[in-house]
Amino acid sequence: MLDIKDFSFFENQDNFDFRSFFIKISSYWKWFIISLIITLTIAYQVNIRKEKIYGMDASIVVKDENNPFFTSNTSLVFNWGGTSDKVQTIITTLISRSHNEVVVDRLNFYVDYLTQGKYNFKDSYGEVPFYVELDKTKGQLAGVPIQIKFLNDYEYQLSVNFENSSVGTFVYSSNSTENIQVKTGEFSAKYRINEPVSLPFANFTLRKFPDWKKYSGNEFYVRFNSFDGTVGHYKGIGVSAGDKAGSVVTLSLQGTNKARLVDYLNTTVMVLKKNQLDSKNQFAINTIAFIDSTLLAMEDQIKNTEKELKDFRKNKNAFELQAGGEKLTERLTGFDAEKDIIERKMAYYNMLNGYLQRSTDFSKLPAPTVAGIDDPNILGNVSKLILLSTRRSELGYSVKNKKMFDDFDNEMNAIKQVLLENIISAKRALQYDLSLVNRNISEAESSIKKLPEDQQELLKITRKYDLSDNIYSTFLQKRSEANIVKAANVSDVEFIDSAKDVGGGLIGPKTSVNYVLAIILGILIPLAFAFGVTILDNTIHNTEDIRKLTKIPLIGVVGKKNTTNNLAVFEKPKSPLAESFRAIRSSLQYIYKKQEGAGSTKILMLTSSVGGEGKTFCSINMATVFALSEKKTVIVGLDLRKPRIFGDFNIENNIGAVNYLIGQKSIEEVIQNTHIPYLDVITSGPIPPNPSELILGESMGQMIEELKKQYDYVILDTPPVGLVSDALELAQYCDATLYVTRQNFTKKGMLSIVNEKHKRGELHNISILLNGFENRAKYGYGYGYGYGYGYGYGAYGSGYTEIERPKTIVGKIKAMLFGK
C-alpha cells in the first residue's frame, strides 16, 4: 500500500513559500498597472461629475436678558429656568420639524433655481435674475425641471418635456399631492414677465429682481420639490453647544449653494429670535388682553354713574350738599377701594382655581399682578406653569418621546397642587380682610344715615362714581405697565457671527479620498485575482515544484514551442528550444554510459500522466536531435489508441506498428522515411480493438530486436501512464524513460502516480522532463535567460540563437501583456 510519507508532495503542503508567492504576484505587474489606470480613471470621472459641497456656519449666544422695568409690582415676565435649559430648548427647537417648516415656507426653499452644467444641473439660487411667486392653492409640477428661456427683457419661453401622460403636482397650501393627465412630448408657451402662468401643472408669476440685466437667450430651470422632503433635509442642520462656553450655540449647514446656506442659517436664527421673544412677551400679552376686556366692560358703568351724578346735581346747590360730608366721603372711598382690591384678588383666585381644575393649556393665564396680587409664591408658580405649558406645546410638534411629556405633566401637576394650596390659604386670609373692611363700611354708612336725605343720596352716587373711576385708573396703570414691559423685552438669543459668504467654505467632494480608494481597489482587485489564481492553481510551474513533489531526477527543461508544427528543432536548429533538447541528449548519453551490459542501440521511451503534456512533441524533437548528429534514429508510435505522430512528417497512417504486431507486414514495410536525414518513423497504424494485448504479445519484443539491428536510437512514443498501462509493459525494453510534464498543465497530484510506479520498480531509469516552460516571474524560478537551460554562450549568445521578436504594434502589446 502506498505510504504517503514517502512523497515530498504531502510533506510540503504545510510550508507556504512566501518568496515564491511574492514573485508570482509581482509577475502580474502589468495587470496592476491596467487596474490602477482603470480605477483612477473612474475616480477622476466621478470627481469631475460631483458637485462641490460647501459648509457655512453661524454662532449665537443665549443669555438671561432681565427686563429693566421688572419690579415686584410689574412682574409681567417669566424666566425660562436658567441658561442651560434655554440652550437645550433652543437646540431642540432648531432641529424640530415645526421650526424648520416655518423657515422653509418663509424662504420658499422647496423651489429650486437651476442652470444646466456640463454633467448635471447646478443650483443657481442667488444667481438667477428672477423668482417665482407661487399660487400655493394650486398644483405645481412635482420634481420635473421647467425650462425658462428669456427671449428679451419682457418675454420668456416656458418649456417642459413630459415623458409620461400622468404627472404629479404639489399643492403647498394643503401640503398634498395630486396626479394630473398631460400630453406626452414637449410643451412650450410664451409669457410676459409679471404675467400669471395658469396651467394644470404650473401656477405662478415670474418676477424680476431689481438688479435685472440683459439675459436674452439665457436658459434657466425651475423645479418644485416636496415640502416635507425639503423640511426633512434642513432638519439635518448641525447644532451644537460650545464646550467652553455653554451658552454659545453653533449652527452649521452643508450644501451645493453658499447663498442658499447663508440665507437659511440667518433666517432660522431670526425666526428663533422672534418666536423666543413672542414667548417671552406672552405673559404681558395675556395681561393686556385681560385688562382690555375689563376696561371695555367698565366704560359703560362709569358713563352711567357719571350721568346719574350730573342728573342729581341739577337744580341743587352741590356745595351745600357736600358740606359736612367730605370726611365721610373720603373715608368710605378708602374703604371701598380696599374692598375692591380684596374682591379683585378673590375673583382672580376663583378664576385661577377653575382654570387649574378644567384646563390643560395654561399658556393664556394673565399675570397675578393685574389683580394686585404680589405673593411671590403665586407669581413664581404661575410663571413656571406658563413656561412648562408653552414648552410642552412647542416640543409636541418635533419630539415623539412619551417619557419626556410624562415628565412635563408630572411637573405641571405638582405646580398645580402647590398653587391650589396657595389659593386656599390666600382666600382664607382675604376673607378675614374682607370682613374687617365690611365692618368699617357699615360703621361709616351708619354715620351717613344721620345726614339729610339729599346729602345721603349725593354721597351714595359720588361714592359709586369714585370707586369706578379708581378701578378704571388702576387698570389703565396696569395696562401701561404691561405695555412698557412688553416694549422693553429683548430676545435672549443674539448673533455672535451671522452666516456670511467670505470665500472658501469648500469641504467636498473629497477627491483625494476617491483617489486613495481607487488606488486601494486598483491594487486589491488584481491582488485578489492573483491570490486566488495562485491558491487555487495546483499545476506545476517550475523545477522547484518538481523538486518538492518527487525524488526522481529532472533531466531537463524544454521551452515553449515556437513553430506551427512539432518539428521545432529541425526548422530552427539554432533556437534556445533546440539547444534545450541537445542538453537533454547530453544528459541521456551520461545515463547510457552508466548502464552496464547495454547494447549499442539505445531505446528511449517517452510517456506522461495524461494527454496534452507534449509527449509526442518531445518524442519527435528528441529523435530529431539524435538524427541531426547523424545517428540512425526511428520513432515508433505506440500510442495505439490515439495516433498522432504521422501528421508532422506528411506521411500516411495506413500501415504501422499495428500491422507488424498482428503479422500483416514486415518491419521493412512499416518503416517510413522522413524528409529529415537519418530519421525514420513507424506510425501506429489502424486503431486496433485490443491495443494492450498487442503490446503484451511476443511480436512486440521481436519488433524491438529487429529495430536494434538497424538503428542507433529507438524512440518509443507511448500512451500516458496515468491513463493506461501500456507504457509499463514497454518499460522492460527501454534503456531510459522520460516522464514528460508540462508547465501550467500537469497537476501536482499526478506526480504521485509516477512516484508510486518508480517505487514499485515498474519504471526504471526514469527522469522527468519539464515541457512548455516560460521563464516568467510568476512561476517563481527559472533557468537562465530564456528557455530551460538555453545556453547563451557568454557574449556570443545573440549570434547563436534565433529569437523572433513581434513586429507589429498589436504583437508588441500582446507580448508585453501576455509575455508571448
Side-chain angles (χ1 to χ4, degrees), residues 581 584-585 588 604 618-626 738:
F581 280 107
I584 295 171
R585 180 187 64 186
L588 285 172
L604 175 65
C618 292
S619 298
I620 292 174
N621 286 284
M622 283 305 306
T624 302
V625 294
F626 286 122
L738 295 184

Side-chain angles (χ1 to χ4, degrees), residues 2 54 75 84 175 216 259 267 294 311 357 374 391 529 533 549 589 716 728 733 737 795:
L2 180 63
Y54 298 94
S75 180
S84 61
N175 193 20
S216 298
T267 303
T294 303
D311 291 341
Q357 296 287 357
D374 53 7
R391 286 177 61 185
F529 171 77
V533 169
L549 295 170
Q589 296 290 358
L716 304 182
L728 300 178
Y733 306 113
T737 300

